[in-house]
Amino acid sequence: MGHGRAVRMFQEKTHKRARSTKVLVSSLWIYIRRYLTPLILSTLLILFYSLTALVNPIIVKSGLNALNDLSYKSFFYGIGMFFTQLGTGEFVQIQKRVDPIPVGAQQFQQLIPLTIAFLAITVISWVFNSLSTRVTAKMNSQMLHDVRGDLYRKLSYSDMAYLKNEQSGNITARVTSDTTELATGIHLLTMLGSQIILIIGAFTLLMLQSWVIGLISLAAIPIAFLMSTVLSKFGRRIVLRIRRSFGSVSGKMAEGISGIAVAKSFNREEELATELRELNQKHYNYSKQFGMLMMFIMPTMSALSYLLFIVIIYASGGLNLPPGDIYLAVNLSQQFLFPIVMLAMIFPQMETAFGAMDRIIDVFEAKPAVADIEGARDLMEGDDSVSFQNVSFAYVEDNYVLRNINFTAKSGELIACVGHTGAGKTTLFSSLLTRFYDVQEGSILIGSQDIRTVSQSSLRQTIGLVTQEPFLFSGTVMENILYGAPNATEEDVKNISKMINADQFIEALPNGYDTVVVEGGKKLSSGQRQIITIARTMLADPRILVLDEATSRLDAYSESLVQAAQRELFKTRTTFVIAHRLSTIRDADRIMVIDQGKLAEVGTHDELIAKDGIYADLYKTYYIHQGLEDIELSVEELEPETLEKELQKPMVVPAGMAAAMPGPGKGSMHARKPDKKQDKKHLQEMKKAGKTEEVKKMKKNQKRKGGGMGHH
Amino acid sequence: MTTIIQDEKTPHDYGEDIQKKISTKYKTANRWFWSAFLRFPLRYLIGTILMAASTYASTKAIALIGDVIGIIQRNIEASVPIFSADFISTINWMIIYVVITFIGIGSSIYIWADTSFRVQRDMRQEFYEVIQDHSMAFFDVNDSGVLLSQGMNEINAIRMAFHPSFRNLLNSFFTIMITSALIWQYDWIIGAALASSFVFYFIIAWLYAARVGPIRRKLATDQADLSAISQEMFRGVDVVRSFDNHDKEIMKFNNKSEEYAVDMKREGYLSAFYWPTLITIVITAVAFGYGLFSVINGRYLNVGILISVVGLLLNLNRQHFMIPSHLIFLQAGLQNAKRLWNLMDFNDPLSQPENPVEADWDNDVRFNDVSFSYPGTEKEVLKNVTFSIPSGARVALIGGPGSGKSTILKLLLRLYDPSYGSIQIDGTSVDSMHTSYVRSNVTMVEQDIFLFSDTLRANIAFAKPDATDEEIKLAAERAQIATFIESLPEKYMTVIGERGVTLSGGQRQRVAIARSLLSEPKLLLLDDSTSAVDIKTELRLRYAMEELMKDRTSIVVTQRLTTLVASDLIILMKRGEVVDIGTHSELLQRCPDYQFMCQHLPMSESLGECEDVDVVAGGRK
C-alpha cells in the first residue's frame, strides 16, 4: 500500500474548514457515543498491544543481562530487579562478569521461563492486535453504514435548490468518500492514543535507562517532523500536479471513447492517440517526480534510525552499560522513533478527516426541503381544478422569476403554456405546482385545498410530471416504465405504451421492453428516452398532468403520432402542456402566455391571434417556420446570433472533480450540464434586450409575404 | 477501375493493425503483464541489483549492532578501553553500510518507480490504441464509463503490482535470504530453520491473499455501485420526488451500504487473525531461547551473537507484515491484466481485408440484398434492402422509428459490415476496402453532434488538421457559423465544451457541417431527423446543409418536407424494409405509407393542397 498511503498523506487541502476542531470533535461525539463500548474496547486492546511491545525488549534485556549477572538466580529475580530499579530510579550500572559462564542443566532450566515469557508475550501481543483489528473492523463498518444512511436520507429530503446547484458527483462524494474519510479519521483517533502512549512509555524507559540516551533520542523528534513537513509541502504540490495530469489523461481518454464514432468516420484515430500519448508522457513526468520524493523519504527514515543506533552505541559505550541495556536502549529508540514517524503521517490524515466531517456537517445543517405542515391532510379527490392566486416566486431572494400570477384551470381542462425560453413556464408548473419549492407570495390551490396544507405524498401522487430532460434509471425499459406504478403489471405497461404509440419505439430496441438502460440511456436516442418517460408518467395515471416540452426530442413524424394518442389521455385530467409546437397549442382549451414572469395573455388560439399581441408574435417566430415559403427569407436578414449570456461564462470545474480519479462506476464521463434555472434567469434579461427587435423584424417579413399559411 | 494493391506499388499506407501486432507480440494476458520486465530489462536489473545491495547493507548494519555490543562486553571484561580499534572499525563499517543503504534504497526505489511509471504509460497507450481500433461492435457492448475506468484505474493497479508491490515483495525476499545467510554465519541451525519456514510462509501468505483479494475487489465494486446509485438518484431527484419514491431510493442505497458494511467487516475479520505471523513469532522466540542456551553452554562466544540473531529476527518481523497486502496487489494486477487483455483481444466481426481495393466513387452506390443485425443481437434491423443511388443524386431517407434509416448510414461508413448481401460502390464491395479508405470518401453528420472539448478551430479542422486559416474560415462561412464565431472574443480559438463555452444545438450542428465541409467527401450522409424549433436556427441550418450537399452524392435522413420535395429520390423505410422508392410526387401519388407520413408532418399544413393529393386529408382529390 506504500504509495497509496503516501499519496493520502500528501492530499491537498482544497477545503477551508468552516468549523474549529473543537466543534468538529464534539459533533463527532454524536457518532462516537453510539459506539462507545467497542471504541473503548479497541482502544484498550491497542493499549495492551503497545504495552506488550514495550515489555518484550525488557525481557530480552533481562535475559541478556542475566547471562552476564552472576548473582542471577532466576528469571523472576531479573524481572524483580528491573522493577526495583524502576522504583528506586537508580539503575545498577556495570555488573562485571568475573567467572566464565557455568554450563549446566540448571541454568538452562532457569532460562526456560524467560523464553516462554518471550513467546507468550509475543503471542499475546499478536492476539491483542488481532482482536483490536477485529473490533475496529466491526465498529468501523457499522459506523460507516450508519453515517452513510443518515447522510443519504438527509440529502434525499433536502432543499431542491441545494441539490440542483451541486453537481450530482459532488453530492455523491459527500456520501461515499467523505464518510470513508471520516471513518478513517475515527480509526486514526484510536491509533493516535496508542501511539502517544508508546512514545511516552518508550521515552520514560529510555530516561530511566540513561537520561543521556533519552535526550539523544529526543533529537529525532524535530528531525522527523521537519522532514515530514518539508516533504509534505513538496509532496502536496507534486501530488496535485499528478492528479491534474491524471485528470487530463482521463478526460482525453473519455473523449476518445465517447467520440469514437466521429474519430472513426474522419479517420482521426492516430491523431487522438498522439494527443493522448503527449498527456500520458506528462503524467509520467510528474509521477517520476513523486518517485524522486519517495526516494528521499524512505531511506532518510531508515538512515535516521541507524544513525540513532550508532550514537546510542557510542554513548552506551561511554556510559559503560551492560550489553542487555545497550540492546534495550537501541530497541527502545526504535519503539520511540516509529510512532513519531507514524504521528507525522497521521496528522495530515486527521486534517483530511476533519475536512470531511466539516462538509458532512454542512449537509446536516443544510435547509431541508419544503416540509409537510403538522396535521397535513391528503389531497381530496373529486375537484381537480388548479388555481394560482397572486403567485410570486424567486429562487434567489428578490430576484423574482414569477410575479402575480392569477389563473384558474378548470377540472379536466387542457391548458397550453407558451412563452420565450426563461419566461418562467417551467418554474410555474414543474417547480411550484409540484411543490418542489414554496411560493413566496400568494397561493396555489387544487380544488379548495392550498397545496401547502396537504401531504406532499398525496400531492405528488396526484400530479404527474414529464420533465424536459428525459431521465432514465438504470434497469430495463420495463422497470423504468413501472417506476411510478410498482403495482402495475407488464401487461399494463404494454397497453399504455400501445396507447401512446410508444410501442413502436420500444419494439425497435434490441431487446424490446427488456432492453437494459445503461449510462442514463446512452444507446437510446433522445426521442426513445423521452417516450419512455412519457409512458412512465402515464402509467402512474395522475389526475393532474404537467408536460414540459415532453415531445421536443421526438422527430416530427413520431411526435405527431404520439400527440394524436395523447389527446385521449388528456381528456380525463387537468393538463398543463408547456408547448413548443403548434399542433399541441391548437388542441388546448386555453392558452396561457407567460412573458418575463408575468401572465401576459390568456385565451384560445384564434382569440389571441386576433389580439395580435405577444402570442401572435411568438406564433410567427416559432410555430410556423417549416412551410415551403419562408425559405425566401435570407440569412442576411437575421439578427446576428450570440452566445447565450450565462453560457458565455466559462464553466468552472469544481476542484477535485476535474482531477478526481474517476471511480470504476458510471458518471465520471458526464460533462457538467449548465444549470437550467440559472440559465433561465440570465436568458430572461437577454431576451428583454435582443429578442423583441428580432421578433418585430420577423413579423415584418411575415406580413410582407402575406400570410401564406394554410390554416389562416 | 479496381486496383488490387500490390507489394511494390502501394498507393496507400493504411498503417499497421495494432491489435494484431500486440496479440502476436504478447500472446497471453500473463505475458502482457510480465512484459513489464522485458520492456525495460536493464533498468529493472539495475534497480534489483541496487535493491539487493541496499538490503544486504541494511541487514548487515543490524547484525553489526550485536558485534559492537560483543566488542564492548569483551573490552569491559578485559578492562581495556571500550573504544578499541576494532570497535571503531566496526562502527565505521556500520556507517559505511548506512550510507550504502541510504543511496541503495533511494536509487533502487527511484529506478523501480520511474521504470514502472514508464510501463504504466506504455501499457495505457497500448490499451487505448488497441481498443480505439476495434470496430463499433466493441463499443456497442462495452460501457464507456467502464472502459475509461479500466484504461485509467486498472492500468494504475497493474503499475501498483510492480511498484510498490512487486518491489517490496522482492525486497522482503532479499531480506529473508540475506537474514538467513547472516544468521547462518552465527548459527546455521537457526538460519536453516528460518529459510525453510519462509518457504512455508510464502505459500500460506499467497493462499491468504487469494482469499482476501476477492473481498477487496468486491469492496471496490460495492463502492462503485454505491456511487452509481447515489449519482443516479441526485441526477434524477425531480423524477424521484415527483413520483414520491424517496423511500424506495433510500432503501436501495441502504441495502447496498449494508452489503458494503458486511464485506468490510468480513475483510477486517480475515485480516485481523493473520496467523502466518505466528510462524515467525515462534521462530523468533525459539531462536531466543536456543540462543540463550547457546551462550550458557558456550556455543556462542558472547552475548553479542545472541543480540545480532535476535535483532535480525525482530527486523525481519517488522518487514514482513506488509507481505500479504503486497501479494493482494500483485494478484489484483494480474487479474486486471487479464480483464484488459480480454478487451484488447476482442474478436472483431469487422476486419480489414487482406488486400484492400479501391473504387471510383463517382459511380453508383448500390445496396444489394443487404440484411443486418447488430453484433451480438438477434433482431434483424435491415431485411433484404436493395436500392441503387446514381452518382450525384440527392437522396432522402424517411421512415418511422426503428425503420433502419440510421443503420443504412452506419453501414455506408463501414462502421459495420452487412450480415448478408453487399454494399457496392462502382460494383466493388465496400467490405473489400480498407475502413480508412471508405471513411476518407464518406462523411456523416450525425444526429447527436459530438464535438471535442477543444477550440472551435481544432473542431472544424478535425477532418483536416493541416487546414489553413483561410480554409477554416471559408468552411465556417459556408456553414453559416463564421459570423457567430467571429463575434466571440477569442474567435476561432474559443474553447468549447466542458472547460469552455456551451453552444446551442443549432450552433453545434453548423460546426459539424463546417467540419464535414473540410473533409470534402464524395458521399455525404446526414442525419437530420429532429428539426429546429425557431425560425432563425432553422434557416441557417438549411443554408448550411445546402452548401454541404452541393456537388456530391448525399443521403439525408429527414422529415423536412422542403428537403423531401427537393430530393431526386426518396427511399421510404418501414421496419427494416424498403417500402417504396421514388420522387416526392411519385410517392405521394402511389404510396399510402408515404401519404400517411406526410399527413403527420407538421409542415403539411402549409403545403396544403398544392399537389393533386390532399396531404391533410390523404388520398387523391
Side-chain angles (χ1 to χ4, degrees):
Chain A
M1 236 174 259
H3 238 91
R5 178 170 296 172
V7 171
R8 278 168 75 93
M9 171 179 159
F10 296 132
Q11 221 120 63
E12 50 179 322
K13 288 178 195 159
T14 43
H15 181 79
K16 187 104 179 91
R17 266 160 53 188
R19 297 171 185 81
S20 69
T21 310
K22 209 174 133 191
V23 175
L24 292 175
V25 171
S26 62
S27 329
L28 209 55
W29 178 244
I30 302 168
Y31 281 101
I32 293 180
R33 207 173 46 195
R34 285 194 222 166
Y35 300 95
L36 214 51
T37 329
L39 195 67
I40 291 172
L41 188 62
S42 85
T43 313
L44 281 177
L45 285 167
I46 294 176
L47 191 71
F48 287 139
Y49 167 68
S50 313
L51 288 177
T52 54
L54 286 174
V55 170
N56 233 343
I58 296 173
I59 292 178
V60 177
K61 174 211 137 157
S62 305
L64 297 173
N65 281 352
L67 290 175
N68 241 16
D69 184 3
L70 281 181
S71 62
Y72 165 78
K73 287 288 176 283
S74 69
F75 158 69
F76 299 101
Y77 175 77
I79 292 284
M81 266 299 283
F82 174 74
F83 283 108
T84 342
Q85 288 167 355
L86 268 184
T88 55
E90 51 178 84
F91 265 63
V92 184
Q93 300 292 313
I94 338 143
Q95 285 124 354
K96 282 194 182 179
R97 206 173 70 189
V98 184
D99 300 324
I101 306 167
V103 184
Q106 199 198 348
Q107 276 80 5
F108 179 64
Q109 274 172 3
Q110 284 168 342
L111 287 171
I112 286 179
L114 201 60
T115 314
I116 291 174
F118 181 83
L119 181 64
I121 294 223
T122 340
V123 173
I124 287 171
S125 133
W126 177 80
V127 171
F128 278 146
N129 190 26
S130 301
L131 277 177
S132 92
T133 313
R134 196 187 155 99
V135 172
T136 314
K138 188 177 177 185
M139 178 188 74
N140 257 351
S141 61
Q142 196 54 48
M143 179 158 19
L144 193 58
H145 179 53
D146 276 5
V147 181
R148 279 182 175 167
D150 288 356
L151 200 60
Y152 196 73
R153 175 169 289 273
K154 171 75 194 175
L155 276 169
S156 308
Y157 286 107
S158 68
D159 187 34
M160 198 67 153
Y162 172 79
L163 295 178
K164 287 272 145 185
N165 284 332
E166 285 281 331
Q167 276 190 33
S168 60
N170 276 355
I171 299 174
T172 297
R174 291 296 89 77
V175 182
T176 52
S177 41
D178 282 346
T179 47
T180 314
E181 293 291 352
L182 185 68
T184 315
I186 291 174
H187 177 55
L188 288 175
L189 215 58
T190 58
M191 271 175 68
L192 197 70
S194 70
Q195 298 299 318
I196 289 173
I197 288 165
L198 213 53
I199 292 172
I200 296 172
F203 183 67
T204 318
L205 287 177
L206 273 172
M207 286 302 272
L208 286 174
Q209 188 81 348
S210 145
W211 61 270
V212 178
I213 294 176
L215 289 184
I216 292 170
S217 309
L218 220 51
I221 297 182
I223 300 176
F225 267 83
L226 185 75
M227 208 172 63
S228 134
T229 19
V230 170
L231 288 176
S232 76
K233 199 165 230 167
F234 283 112
R236 194 168 288 154
R237 205 176 305 156
I238 295 173
V239 165
L240 187 62
R241 273 195 221 134
I242 294 179
R243 281 165 142 231
R244 283 211 185 115
S245 63
F246 186 86
S248 47
V249 174
S250 169
K252 184 55 85 182
M253 197 186 273
E255 205 171 56
I257 294 171
S258 39
I260 188 75
V262 179
K264 281 192 184 299
S265 48
F266 288 105
N267 280 327
R268 288 274 80 83
E269 292 109 311
E270 248 169 72
E271 282 74 6
L272 288 177
T274 311
E275 285 170 33
L276 185 80
R277 186 174 296 124
E278 283 160 15
L279 292 173
N280 218 345
Q281 176 68 23
K282 216 178 194 173
H283 177 237
Y284 156 73
N285 287 338
Y286 291 135
S287 305
K288 194 165 74 175
Q289 287 180 6
F290 188 74
M292 247 182 252
L293 192 74
M294 293 308 288
M295 169 172 141
F296 284 103
I297 297 185
M298 309 285 277
T300 310
M301 286 299 175
S302 59
L304 192 66
S305 70
Y306 283 118
L307 283 176
L308 208 55
F309 290 170
I310 294 173
V311 176
I312 287 171
I313 288 171
Y314 250 103
S316 317
L319 290 167
N320 275 355
L321 290 183
D325 287 25
I326 301 178
Y327 169 79
L328 184 61
V330 168
N331 202 299
L332 284 178
S333 75
Q334 286 254 304
Q335 304 274 21
F336 179 66
L337 190 65
F338 272 107
I340 286 176
V341 174
M342 281 292 269
L343 277 190
M345 307 254 279
I346 285 177
F347 278 130
Q349 286 194 43
M350 285 299 293
E351 189 49 45
T352 319
F354 278 131
M357 185 68 211
D358 197 37
R359 291 189 290 273
I360 289 172
I361 296 176
D362 276 347
V363 171
F364 280 122
E365 288 178 357
K367 198 170 105 189
V370 285
D372 282 354
I373 57 155
E374 247 176 78
R377 290 199 302 173
D378 281 356
L379 197 64
M380 285 179 292
E381 283 179 42
D383 188 358
D384 294 335
S385 67
V386 174
S387 67
F388 297 91
Q389 297 183 341
N390 228 1
V391 167
S392 293
F393 176 72
Y395 288 105
V396 189
E397 229 168 292
D398 291 336
N399 192 352
Y400 281 90
V401 192
L402 291 170
R403 268 184 194 284
N404 302 326
I405 304 284
N406 278 301
F407 183 80
T408 302
K410 290 189 246 37
S411 207
E413 215 176 1
L414 171 59
I415 306 292
C417 179
V418 299
H420 287 296
T421 325
K425 298 168 293 185
T426 300
T427 303
L428 186 61
F429 297 106
S430 304
S431 301
L432 297 184
L433 181 58
T434 52
R435 207 172 165 229
F436 288 163
Y437 299 86
D438 270 334
V439 296
Q440 258 93 3
E441 288 163 35
S443 57
I444 300 173
L445 270 59
I446 294 178
S448 57
Q449 286 170 289
D450 187 322
I451 59 169
R452 281 171 296 196
T453 65
V454 302
S455 69
Q456 290 179 64
S457 181
S458 69
L459 177 69
R460 307 234 165 98
Q461 277 161 23
T462 308
I463 300 175
L465 168 69
V466 182
T467 52
Q468 256 173 3
E469 199 74 36
F471 180 85
L472 298 182
F473 294 89
S474 39
T476 62
V477 169
M478 180 61 80
E479 284 164 359
N480 263 290
I481 300 178
L482 282 170
Y483 187 80
N487 297 326
T489 63
E490 301 202 350
E491 210 44 51
D492 296 337
V493 171
K494 284 180 183 160
N495 285 339
I496 200 84
S497 304
K498 204 157 281 162
M499 220 190 275
I500 60 167
N501 274 322
D503 55 338
Q504 291 185 44
F505 282 84
I506 295 165
E507 273 154 20
L509 294 170
N511 294 311
Y513 287 92
D514 297 324
T515 306
V516 177
V517 175
V518 288
E519 296 176 60
K522 173 184 79 165
K523 277 177 238 161
L524 278 61
S525 73
S526 46
Q528 281 166 330
R529 287 203 293 270
Q530 203 161 33
I531 199 113
I532 294 169
T533 62
I534 297 173
R536 177 173 67 191
T537 300
M538 286 312 182
L539 187 67
D541 194 23
R543 278 149 50 203
I544 299 171
L545 196 58
V546 175
L547 300 173
D548 189 353
E549 304 198 354
T551 50
S552 58
R553 284 153 203 267
L554 298 178
D555 60 73
Y557 169 66
S558 317
E559 189 179 24
S560 80
L561 290 184
V562 171
Q563 280 177 347
Q566 280 178 340
R567 265 163 228 153
E568 278 304 304
L569 289 160
F570 292 168
K571 264 184 193 158
T572 52
R573 26 196 140 222
T574 313
T575 308
F576 296 96
V577 182
I578 298 176
H580 65 116
R581 290 226 199 266
L582 180 62
S583 45
T584 336
I585 303 168
R586 291 205 296 145
D587 281 342
D589 295 320
R590 277 187 295 162
I591 298 165
M592 288 172 82
V593 183
I594 308 268
D595 191 43
Q596 294 171 32
K598 290 193 185 115
L599 182 60
E601 295 166 13
V602 179
T604 63
H605 173 76
D606 292 336
E607 283 167 17
L608 292 177
I609 287 290
K611 200 174 172 189
D612 199 19
I614 298 172
Y615 176 76
D617 269 357
L618 272 170
Y619 175 69
K620 282 161 194 159
T621 320
Y622 286 101
Y623 302 113
I624 41 161
H625 58 275
Q626 285 173 320
L628 283 171
E629 47 286 288
D630 49 10
I631 196 92
E632 288 159 27
L633 189 67
S634 79
V635 174
E636 287 69 38
E637 288 174 77
L638 293 175
E639 283 283 312
E641 59 185 333
T642 49
L643 260 188
E644 304 187 336
K645 218 174 188 180
E646 156 73 13
L647 305 179
Q648 213 159 8
K649 188 181 82 194
M651 284 192 288
V652 185
V653 181
M657 267 312 276
M661 314 214 168
K666 303 105 198 180
S668 40
M669 306 193 47
H670 297 276
R672 177 182 182 265
K673 295 237 166 65
D675 178 16
K676 276 256 149 59
K677 244 149 267 139
Q678 283 288 327
D679 292 354
K680 287 191 174 166
K681 261 172 275 163
H682 289 274
L683 274 172
Q684 222 178 340
E685 292 163 27
M686 190 216 100
K687 294 279 148 63
K688 240 184 278 177
K691 208 70 166 219
T692 25
E693 260 176 89
E694 196 171 311
V695 171
K696 269 182 205 149
K697 199 167 211 171
M698 215 70 79
K699 208 159 82 181
K700 212 170 69 199
N701 280 323
Q702 295 288 350
K703 273 190 184 143
R704 198 178 52 210
K705 275 180 267 137
M709 302 84 198
H711 62 274
H712 257 213
Chain B
M1 280 291 149
T2 306
T3 44
I4 305 272
I5 294 168
Q6 311 271 293
D7 281 346
E8 56 274 8
K9 45 156 201 150
T10 312
H12 282 283
D13 176 19
Y14 293 121
E16 53 187 341
D17 185 339
I18 175 125
Q19 183 188 351
K20 217 183 203 164
K21 188 183 130 197
I22 298 290
S23 56
T24 42
K25 196 167 169 190
Y26 302 115
K27 295 190 182 70
T28 65
N30 270 333
R31 284 202 206 177
W32 188 57
F33 178 81
W34 293 110
S35 74
F37 293 122
L38 293 176
R39 287 167 201 250
F40 303 99
L42 198 62
R43 286 166 171 276
Y44 274 119
L45 188 66
I46 294 172
T48 309
I49 291 170
L50 282 170
M51 188 199 300
S54 69
T55 309
Y56 177 77
S58 66
T59 317
K60 187 69 187 168
I62 287 171
L64 286 183
I65 294 173
D67 293 0
V68 170
I69 294 175
I71 291 167
I72 294 175
Q73 195 198 358
R74 190 202 64 207
N75 290 347
I76 291 171
E77 282 164 13
S79 295
V80 294
I82 283 170
F83 301 121
S84 59
D86 56 352
F87 175 88
I88 301 288
S89 86
T90 315
I91 289 285
N92 284 344
W93 271 112
M94 275 182 82
I95 292 173
I96 291 169
Y97 285 133
V98 170
V99 172
I100 294 175
T101 307
F102 184 78
I103 297 169
I105 296 183
S107 46
S108 80
I109 289 182
Y110 177 69
I111 292 172
W112 265 85
D114 174 67
T115 315
S116 306
F117 283 127
R118 277 168 201 255
V119 169
Q120 165 179 298
R121 174 196 66 191
D122 294 351
M123 282 187 149
R124 177 168 292 149
Q125 190 71 27
E126 233 160 60
F127 172 75
Y128 177 74
E129 287 185 17
V130 170
I131 64 156
Q132 182 186 239
D133 228 34
H134 292 336
S135 78
M136 291 310 288
F138 174 81
F139 294 94
D140 287 344
V141 292
N142 286 291
D143 184 304
S144 54
V146 175
L147 283 180
L148 175 66
S149 152
Q150 289 178 319
M152 300 307 295
N153 299 335
E154 296 197 7
I155 295 273
N156 265 9
I158 291 179
R159 188 264 300 155
M160 282 172 76
F162 288 100
H163 164 81
S165 292
F166 195 79
R167 175 174 60 75
N168 275 312
L169 287 171
L170 206 57
N171 193 28
S172 299
F173 176 72
F174 284 141
T175 314
I176 290 159
M177 297 317 288
I178 292 166
T179 305
S180 302
L182 288 178
I183 291 179
W184 194 297
Q185 286 182 352
Y186 296 112
D187 189 331
W188 70 271
I189 296 176
I190 300 178
L194 184 65
S196 52
S197 78
F198 259 96
V199 175
F200 188 51
Y201 176 89
F202 261 109
I203 295 170
I204 293 172
W206 181 262
L207 293 176
Y208 166 82
R211 219 144 62 89
V212 177
I215 303 177
R216 288 265 174 95
R217 285 190 286 280
K218 173 80 174 18
L219 272 175
T221 29
D222 284 348
Q223 174 93 354
D225 290 348
L226 214 51
S227 289
I229 291 173
S230 160
Q231 288 242 16
E232 189 174 79
M233 139 90 172
F234 291 116
R235 211 177 288 145
V237 64
D238 28 13
V239 179
V240 175
R241 227 163 251 201
S242 68
F243 284 110
D244 196 33
N245 261 348
H246 278 126
D247 291 338
K248 187 176 161 186
E249 291 297 320
I250 291 173
M251 184 106 88
K252 198 160 133 197
F253 180 86
N254 273 347
N255 288 343
K256 200 73 206 176
S257 170
E258 179 89 58
E259 197 179 327
Y260 182 89
V262 168
D263 288 332
M264 187 176 166
K265 199 168 76 181
R266 217 148 59 91
E267 195 252 6
Y269 280 11
L270 256 181
S271 43
F273 287 92
Y274 175 61
W275 64 270
T277 316
L278 285 174
I279 298 175
T280 56
I281 289 176
V282 170
I283 289 209
T284 313
V286 170
F288 177 59
Y290 178 74
L292 285 173
F293 177 69
S294 298
V295 178
I296 290 170
N297 70 14
R299 244 184 105 238
Y300 290 176
L301 283 178
N302 58 37
V303 176
I305 293 177
L306 179 55
I307 290 177
S308 292
V309 170
V310 172
L312 284 170
L313 285 172
L314 288 178
N315 178 55
L316 198 60
N317 286 355
R318 253 199 301 281
Q319 289 254 332
H320 76 245
F321 80 101
M322 290 299 279
I323 289 179
S325 68
H326 287 309
L327 283 174
I328 290 172
F329 274 105
L330 185 60
Q331 287 176 351
L334 272 163
Q335 282 199 343
N336 285 329
K338 202 169 283 166
R339 298 217 300 168
L340 294 177
W341 183 261
N342 286 343
L343 288 174
M344 286 161 65
D345 206 28
F346 176 70
N347 186 7
D348 210 319
L350 186 143
S351 58
Q352 302 294 359
E354 290 279 319
N355 298 300
V357 296
E358 300 190 348
D360 183 0
W361 287 80
D362 288 327
N363 260 302
D364 290 6
V365 175
R366 191 173 158 71
F367 265 61
N368 208 345
D369 200 20
V370 170
S371 295
F372 179 70
S373 31
Y374 282 98
T377 59
E378 305 257 303
K379 191 176 227 128
E380 267 198 342
V381 284
L382 290 182
K383 288 170 214 152
N384 310 94
V385 173
T386 301
F387 59 78
S388 186
I389 296 169
S391 171
R394 287 188 173 196
V395 180
L397 264 176
I398 185 165
S403 57
K405 302 162 293 191
S406 346
T407 307
I408 287 186
L409 302 191
K410 287 179 190 159
L411 290 182
L412 277 167
L413 255 181
R414 210 181 163 219
L415 290 176
Y416 306 90
D417 280 339
S419 320
Y420 183 80
S422 67
I423 301 167
Q424 291 165 355
I425 310 295
D426 177 32
T428 309
S429 176
V430 168
D431 49 23
S432 61
M433 302 176 195
H434 195 280
T435 50
S436 25
Y437 175 72
V438 175
R439 290 168 200 163
S440 64
N441 286 292
V442 185
T443 290
M444 171 150 85
V445 180
E446 71 276 47
Q447 189 191 343
D448 293 317
I449 305 289
F450 185 90
L451 297 177
F452 292 86
S453 36
D454 203 334
T455 60
L456 281 165
R457 188 187 196 285
N459 268 294
I460 294 174
F462 186 73
K464 194 181 178 189
D466 56 350
T468 63
D469 287 348
E470 283 71 40
E471 283 178 294
I472 288 167
K473 197 168 177 288
L474 185 67
E477 271 166 12
R478 291 177 66 193
Q480 308 294 332
I481 190 78
T483 328
F484 164 69
I485 293 177
E486 278 155 25
S487 75
L488 298 170
E490 304 272 316
K491 298 194 177 7
Y492 288 88
M493 298 315 279
T494 309
V495 175
I496 56 171
E498 212 176 323
R499 277 148 212 255
V501 299
T502 306
L503 303 181
S504 72
Q507 288 160 345
R508 294 170 70 81
Q509 245 167 331
R510 279 173 288 136
V511 171
I513 288 176
R515 173 168 77 184
S516 304
L517 273 169
L518 271 185
S519 77
E520 289 174 32
K522 293 275 198 241
L523 174 61
L524 174 77
L525 312 174
L526 243 162
D527 197 338
D528 180 41
S529 7
T530 37
S531 47
V533 167
D534 68 298
I535 190 161
K536 56 175 186 174
T537 312
E538 169 75 17
L539 268 182
R540 287 198 174 99
L541 198 61
R542 209 180 294 175
Y543 277 93
M545 275 170 48
E546 208 47 49
E547 278 295 313
L548 186 57
M549 291 193 289
K550 213 179 256 173
D551 305 323
R552 57 186 122 237
T553 318
S554 63
I555 302 178
V556 186
V557 172
T558 189
Q559 304 203 332
R560 218 179 283 272
L561 210 43
T562 44
T563 315
L564 290 173
V565 172
S567 297
D568 301 321
L569 207 60
I570 296 169
I571 301 174
L572 176 63
M573 305 278 303
K574 192 176 180 181
R575 290 178 195 186
E577 283 168 290
V578 176
V579 178
D580 204 347
I581 303 179
T583 63
H584 174 70
S585 49
E586 283 167 7
L587 291 187
L588 208 53
Q589 292 279 352
R590 67 171 182 233
C591 179
D593 279 315
Y594 189 71
Q595 289 163 0
F596 181 80
M597 282 203 87
C598 280
Q599 274 174 48
H600 284 88
L601 297 182
M603 54 285 210
S604 58
E605 289 154 358
S606 55
L607 201 65
E609 302 154 353
C610 62
E611 305 284 339
D612 63 339
V613 172
D614 187 337
V615 182
V616 185
R620 224 162 285 232
K621 286 242 146 145

